[in-house]
Amino acid sequence: MADETTPETEAPETAAEAAVPDRVAALEAEIAELKNKMLRTLADMENLRRRTEREMADTRQYAVANFARDVLNVGDNLRRAIDAVPAEVRDGSDPALSSLLEGVEVTERGLAQTLQKFGVRQMEPKGQKFDPTQHQAMFELEDTERPSGTIAEVVQAGYAIGDRVLRPAMVGITKGGPKLAAVKPAEPVGEAQTADDPTG
């Protein structure tokens, strides 16, 4: 009788032992899947953190853009007031007018310094190739000396904040001259050779 009970007790142990590797494999697969989900979640959180930091930096940099755009009109009016004073009157013969003119010039400089403090800078496009993303063409000038599409006159100054155009410059461009060649951005010395050299 002792011999008959032994095979019966061994059979369930063998079935349980056979199920252990299957259970271990299932648990390892579940662990791998959970680890993969955790890594994806961590990557998503890191991407979200970076995107949020970038958006916050953009918000800080460009928050004054609408205000600055409106203030530029004040600066334009100050410049018009200064330019409206005839050269023969500027000689200082009228002390009241000289003081007024000096005050307007000081105010204009102060405004320019304040705008610069907040990252607003004036663009200097004269002599550059016309770029519709930064300039607004107002008229064309016949000029056979300079290439067509060169900015000859600036009617109203353009401004940028960071890498964005705050207000395009209103310009007059040349026509009638030779066509402008496609201008490549300047390359640092040494890199131009390796970029053009197929062996390098």
Side-chain angles (χ1 to χ4, degrees), residues 123 125 130 134-137 154 156-159 165 167-171:
M123 297 185 288
F130 175 75
Q134 296 183 1
H135 313 125
Q136 182 177 349
V154 178
Q156 185 180 53
Y159 287 86
V165 174
R167 181 178 79 184
M170 294 183 180
V171 298

Side-chain angles (χ1 to χ4, degrees), residues 23-39:
R23 182 71 179 142
V24 168
L27 289 173
E28 286 176 350
E30 186 178 350
I31 288 171
E33 183 182 343
L34 290 172
K35 183 178 179 182
N36 191 20
K37 284 182 180 177
M38 181 191 69
L39 291 174

Side-chain angles (χ1 to χ4, degrees), residues 8-132:
E8 289 173 6
T9 55
E10 285 179 5
E13 287 177 8
T14 315
E17 287 174 2
V20 168
D22 291 338
R23 182 71 179 142
V24 168
L27 289 173
E28 286 176 350
E30 186 178 350
I31 288 171
E33 183 182 343
L34 290 172
K35 183 178 179 182
N36 191 20
K37 284 182 180 177
M38 181 191 69
L39 291 174
R40 284 186 190 159
T41 303
L42 288 173
D44 287 344
M45 292 304 294
E46 181 63 19
N47 290 338
L48 177 64
R49 183 187 65 77
R50 288 182 185 155
R51 189 170 48 248
T52 303
E53 284 177 358
R54 205 169 34 246
E55 288 171 358
M56 286 175 60
D58 280 355
T59 300
R60 274 192 299 273
Q61 184 173 13
Y62 301 115
V64 297
N66 289 333
F67 177 72
R69 196 174 292 115
D70 291 339
V71 169
L72 291 177
N73 294 329
V74 175
D76 291 339
N77 290 333
L78 290 171
R79 173 53 34 200
R80 286 186 197 103
I82 293 167
D83 292 343
V85 178
E88 60 271 5
V89 181
R90 293 178 187 232
D91 64 1
S93 59
D94 185 354
L97 184 60
S98 295
S99 294
L100 177 64
L101 184 60
E102 185 180 335
V104 173
E105 288 172 340
V106 168
T107 303
E108 182 190 38
R109 284 194 301 271
L111 179 63
Q113 289 171 352
T114 301
L115 288 170
Q116 201 169 34
K117 182 173 117 180
F118 287 98
V120 177
R121 69 186 193 299
Q122 185 174 350
M123 297 185 288
E124 301 291 341
K126 193 167 184 177
Q128 296 178 1
K129 180 182 175 188
F130 175 75
D131 180 355

